[in-house]
Amino acid sequence: MAHECVQVAVRIRPLVQSEINTGCQVCLDVVPGEPQVQLRGTEKSFTYNHVFGADIEQEDFYNTAVKGMVDNIFKGYNVTILAYGQTGSGKTHSMGTCYNGGPNMGVIPRAIQDIFKISEAKQEYDIKVSISFLELYQEQLYDLLMDKPRSQCIVDIREDSVKGITVSGLTEIEVNNITETFECLTRGSLRRATGATAMNAHSSRSHAIFTIYIRQEKKGDPNSATIAKFHLVDLAGSERSKKTGATGERFKEGVNINKGLLALGNVISLLGEGKSTYIGYRDSKLTRLLQDSLDFIQFYVAWGICQKP
Ligand SMILES: Nc1ncnc2c1ncn2[C@@H]1O[C@H](COP(=O)(O)OP(=O)(O)OP(=O)(O)O)[C@@H](O)[C@H]1O
């Protein structure tokens, strides 16, 4: 499918306390009135679909860059939102993957709220919402909602001529309201693999894929049934081992992370160009998993960019 449907949004995060303490300076500016960023003190600028400066609130970010995507799911499209950026740039903060109940929530909890609001308003439809939560760590898929020790939570991708891409054995939980869905999000995110790197004390070392399935059927018309998948993906940090100080296991993690991100980058740019007949979905588990869910893509790039003194 040709892809005018790939949108790229950039969000610059404010300096964190440790950066302020060491005298770091922001070195990227938003060009006023344009969806552009400019490297401070240079003529170099880059244009995207949306650009957000460090002062943007979570709510405004969601309303501008994501809310419209939720409407597309109810039209029956599969939608994927990906948060990409180097480690510590603010992906998990913006996505709200580690939601803990506060009002300053990110994209996932806000999307959940909107989905239930829209479902309630569509009274002429029977709508069922279910979710799954997967982690891709070192090219291995883990079911984050399975109530078993981690070593028994490994699942794998299957390709079915009727059902398309599925993950066999994956826990899919039907959820009836916002509270139940938040509870699953929190439970799953606590099981995600994290580790400390020199750039982020609580670095996500895996890709987290929270999926919301919407089944809707017009009351009295079983032929009208549609199913749409909404993937919300908090990618592991892209990184250079030199900057993160990674050695041993951390280094190996970094190699796998970058391999998956490279394959994803290639797929998205080919889809964006809309020309290529061959797209390398099979080059990584991440791209295989998302293969049938790229009708609409919001590729959100987090930038925590600063200059050391
Ligand atoms: N927009 C923001 N406003 C305030 N603080 C932010 C913002 N974005 C990120 N932060 C803070 O920056 C730090 C790093 O953010 P976060 O953990 O979300 O990065 P990440 O890109 O997910 O990193 P990793 O890939 O290593 O998991 C956190 O302390 C987070 O609270």
Side-chain angles (χ1 to χ4, degrees):
M1 133 179 221
H3 262 278
E4 315 81 53
C5 306
V6 180
Q7 293 240 329
V8 182
V10 166
R11 182 179 188 181
I12 301 168
R13 75 148 164 74
L15 295 179
V16 293
Q17 198 54 48
S18 57
E19 290 164 343
I20 295 169
N21 293 347
T22 51
C24 288
Q25 304 264 326
V26 173
C27 64
L28 196 67
D29 294 307
V30 176
V31 178
E34 301 290 337
Q36 262 180 15
V37 287
Q38 184 163 27
L39 289 176
R40 199 170 279 184
T42 75
E43 293 294 304
K44 274 191 190 147
S45 60
F46 306 92
T47 306
Y48 302 92
N49 297 96
H50 303 282
V51 168
F52 302 95
D55 54 352
I56 188 88
E57 298 289 337
Q58 295 276 58
E59 186 178 1
D60 295 334
F61 174 70
Y62 173 81
N63 285 342
T64 313
V66 182
K67 206 176 171 68
M69 291 284 172
V70 176
D71 297 330
N72 285 331
I73 315 165
F74 283 93
K75 291 176 191 153
Y77 291 109
N78 293 328
V79 175
T80 296
I81 296 191
L82 301 134
Y84 170 86
Q86 72 172 17
T87 187
S89 55
K91 300 178 297 295
T92 302
H93 175 88
S94 293
M95 288 302 277
T97 321
C98 295
Y99 178 63
N100 60 8
N104 194 27
M105 59 185 132
V107 164
I108 301 178
R110 284 178 201 276
I112 291 170
Q113 286 181 335
D114 270 356
I115 282 169
F116 280 99
K117 218 184 287 169
I118 296 171
S119 300
E120 271 166 34
K122 292 185 80 166
Q123 288 190 352
E124 68 282 21
Y125 283 84
D126 281 323
I127 298 179
K128 287 199 165 61
V129 182
S130 58
I131 50 146
S132 63
F133 202 175
L134 267 174
E135 175 178 47
L136 179 56
Y137 177 67
Q138 306 265 48
E139 282 299 277
Q140 191 93 265
L141 281 169
Y142 293 88
D143 183 341
L144 292 176
L145 295 178
M146 208 182 264
D147 212 5
K148 286 185 182 163
R150 188 170 166 82
S151 60
Q152 292 171 32
C153 295
I154 295 171
V155 287
D156 211 355
I157 300 171
R158 293 272 175 278
E159 265 183 75
D160 182 297
S161 56
V162 181
K163 290 187 189 159
I165 304 287
T166 59
V167 179
S168 66
L170 179 66
T171 309
E172 193 180 316
I173 299 178
E174 190 171 322
V175 280
N176 297 304
N177 53 48
I178 296 169
T179 314
E180 273 177 36
T181 320
F182 281 180
E183 193 272 322
C184 293
L185 174 65
T186 308
R187 184 153 57 91
S189 67
L190 288 173
R191 299 182 62 147
R192 194 177 168 195
T194 58
T197 69
M199 293 176 77
N200 188 0
H202 300 284
S203 184
S204 320
R205 311 301 297 154
S206 60
H207 308 302
I209 303 143
F210 187 80
T211 306
I212 306 177
Y213 309 85
I214 314 262
R215 291 171 181 76
Q216 46 179 357
E217 187 180 309
K218 206 160 190 186
K219 283 179 182 160
D221 182 5
N223 293 330
S224 67
T226 58
I227 300 179
K229 281 193 245 183
F230 185 25
H231 290 302
L232 296 126
V233 188
D234 184 356
L235 295 166
S238 61
E239 51 200 27
R240 296 202 187 113
S241 57
K242 216 165 109 190
K243 266 181 137 181
T244 53
T247 54
E249 200 52 28
R250 285 284 101 84
F251 179 77
K252 237 169 48 192
E253 282 172 349
V255 171
N256 271 313
I257 291 168
N258 287 338
K259 233 168 71 184
L261 291 175
L262 179 67
L264 177 69
N266 290 339
V267 164
I268 291 184
S269 36
L270 288 174
L271 286 174
E273 286 166 15
K275 290 183 207 146
S276 180
T277 47
Y278 173 76
I279 299 194
Y281 290 112
R282 291 185 158 272
D283 292 349
S284 77
K285 280 203 177 154
L286 183 61
T287 43
R288 274 188 80 196
L289 198 64
L290 300 177
Q291 181 171 345
D292 65 352
S293 303
L294 300 171
D295 295 344
F296 282 89
I297 307 167
Q298 171 72 262
F299 192 65
Y300 144 62
V301 185
W303 268 0
I305 192 155
C306 64
Q307 212 158 32
K308 297 222 161 100

